[in-house]
Structure formats: C-alpha cells, structure tokens
Amino acid sequence: MKNLFVKIAAVGLLMLAPAVAQAAEGYSTANVNMRAGPSTRYPAVAVIPAGSSVEIRGCLSDVNWCDVEFYGGRGWVSGQYVQASYQQRRVYVGPQYYRPLGIPMIRFSVDNYWDRYYRNRDFYRDRDRWSRGPDYYDRDRDNRDRDRDNRDRDRNWRERDGDRDGRDRDRDWRDDNQRDDRQRGDRQRGERQRDDRRGDDRRPDRRDFDCRPGDPSCDE
C-alpha cells in the first residue's frame, strides 16, 4: 500500500511539473514597451519600467520575443530587454536558456491571443488585418493613406476646377454683359441717328425748294 501511495505521488508530481514550468521570473532591463505581438510594429499595450519583475509565459523559437505578464496584463517583449536568474547570475533570455529556465516555446496567433486579452482595446477592431501580419497591416495602412491622399487631391482638384469654372463663368457673364451693353449702345446710337435723319427729312431745305412764280405758297 505504501508503494502505491508513492507511485501515485510520483505521477502527481509528473503531472504538475509542466504546469510549474509554464512561467519563469524575469526582469526588464529598460523602460520597454509591452506590445500586442512579437514585433515592434504591433501596438504597445503598456510600458514596463526598468527593473520591474515580469512572469515569462513562453517565448518563440524562431525570434527572440517572449510572452510576459506584468501586473495582470499580458503582452510581448523582446528578449534583449528581459533577464532571468540562471546559476546565481542574470542572463538575457535567449533560446539557449529556455529549457534550463523552464520557459516553454510557444507560437503566436493574433486571433487567439487578442480574443483572450485585447477585446476591449481600440486596435482589436483591426484584428482581421493584423492577423495577416504586421508587414501586411503596414502595407494596408500605407495603401489606405495613399487612397485618402488621392481622394483629397481629387477633391482639391475638383474644387480648383470648380473655382476656375466659376471664374470662367463670371468672366463669360461679364463679357456677355459688356457685349450686350455695347450692342444696346450701338442700337441706341443707330436709332438716334435714324431719328435725326428722319427729322432732317421732315424739315425742307429752302435751298432745295423751287418756288414757281404765281405759286401761293411762295408768297411770304
């Protein structure tokens, strides 16, 4: 019976061992941003002051970034800013120390990680674009910025064209008015000249009037 209890206890310890090895204590070496993913392109979620204690939950195997816990918040910090105690000295967290320190190698997924920790963050609404990677998000953001700039240029271009068209219409309107004024002036001058000629026709010139002898109209 005693041996049975020993075996059960040993199995229990083996079952608990992975859980114990799920975190290691580390220390930040500088004021460093804790980010929403393993890249400086991901949004910053907090600033970890230099010398602060963090819990290292796991690190990536291909790049030196670690998932850490700081005051109940979770995020990613580059291993070059995190140290851990190893054989009575502090070492920077790197792949060669993962196993001795009990740090598991993990993978990162925007969908799972952000669903768990960042649902209340503003950047969560862009999760679908971020899930394709920070490089894609940057390109997508640059494209959106270019599209917005193009729309602004198009709007400015239309506004300038509208102003130019308005100035052209005003100039045409003024030209038309001036032309109409000139035409009215010409018509008025023509009408006055015709009136003057008709008046001259109504007034007989005595020099051109032949008075015949015996004509009563010649008698003065």
Side-chain angles (χ1 to χ4, degrees):
M1 182 66 68
K2 182 177 180 180
N3 291 335
L4 178 63
F5 285 137
V6 171
K7 290 180 181 179
I8 293 174
V11 172
L13 290 175
L14 290 175
M15 293 178 64
L16 290 174
V20 172
Q22 291 301 309
E25 187 176 10
Y27 306 90
S28 62
T29 61
N31 295 334
V32 61
N33 285 319
M34 184 169 68
R35 296 188 175 273
S39 171
T40 56
R41 294 188 180 92
Y42 283 102
V45 296
V47 176
I48 302 176
S52 299
S53 175
V54 297
E55 291 293 324
I56 305 171
R57 296 295 180 178
C59 298
L60 301 179
S61 60
D62 52 346
V63 291
N64 190 17
W65 280 79
C66 297
D67 175 21
V68 303
E69 181 177 352
F70 177 68
Y71 276 96
R74 291 288 287 272
W76 290 80
V77 176
S78 172
Q80 64 181 338
Y81 295 107
V82 179
Q83 289 183 333
S85 296
Y86 176 69
Q87 294 182 352
Q88 298 181 348
R89 61 190 178 94
R90 287 189 178 183
V91 296
Y92 283 97
V93 175
Q96 68 273 28
Y97 295 111
Y98 291 170
R99 185 180 295 274
L101 292 173
I103 299 173
M105 287 186 291
I106 60 175
R107 294 182 179 181
F108 171 70
S109 169
V110 166
D111 293 336
N112 295 333
Y113 199 86
W114 286 24
D115 283 346
R116 186 176 301 172
Y117 301 115
Y118 300 139
R119 283 183 174 274
N120 62 337
R121 297 281 185 160
D122 292 338
F123 55 79
Y124 181 81
R125 61 175 177 266
D126 294 328
R127 181 190 59 172
D128 292 339
R129 286 196 291 269
W130 279 109
S131 64
R132 303 180 186 180
D135 293 336
Y136 178 87
Y137 179 81
D138 286 342
R139 288 195 300 270
D140 189 30
R141 181 178 56 189
D142 292 341
N143 291 334
R144 293 197 304 272
D145 291 341
R146 280 195 297 271
D147 291 341
R148 184 173 60 251
D149 293 340
N150 290 334
R151 289 194 298 269
D152 292 340
R153 282 195 296 270
D154 290 342
R155 183 172 60 251
N156 294 334
W157 177 77
R158 289 193 299 270
E159 291 175 353
R160 288 195 299 269
D161 282 353
D163 293 339
R164 184 170 58 249
D165 292 341
R167 290 192 297 270
D168 291 341
R169 285 194 298 271
D170 291 341
R171 184 172 59 251
D172 294 340
W173 179 80
R174 290 193 299 270
D175 293 342
D176 291 340
N177 286 339
Q178 291 174 357
R179 185 167 55 253
D180 292 341
D181 291 341
R182 287 195 299 271
Q183 292 175 352
R184 283 195 297 272
D186 293 342
R187 286 197 300 271
Q188 291 173 356
R189 284 193 296 273
E191 290 174 357
R192 285 197 298 270
Q193 290 174 357
R194 286 194 297 274
D195 291 341
D196 292 341
R197 284 196 297 274
R198 284 196 296 271
D200 293 340
D201 292 342
R202 288 193 297 270
R203 293 192 298 273
D205 190 349
R206 290 184 175 274
R207 292 176 300 179
D208 297 334
F209 186 81
D210 293 335
C211 184
R212 298 179 180 179
D215 191 341
S217 60
C218 293
D219 295 336
E220 295 182 356

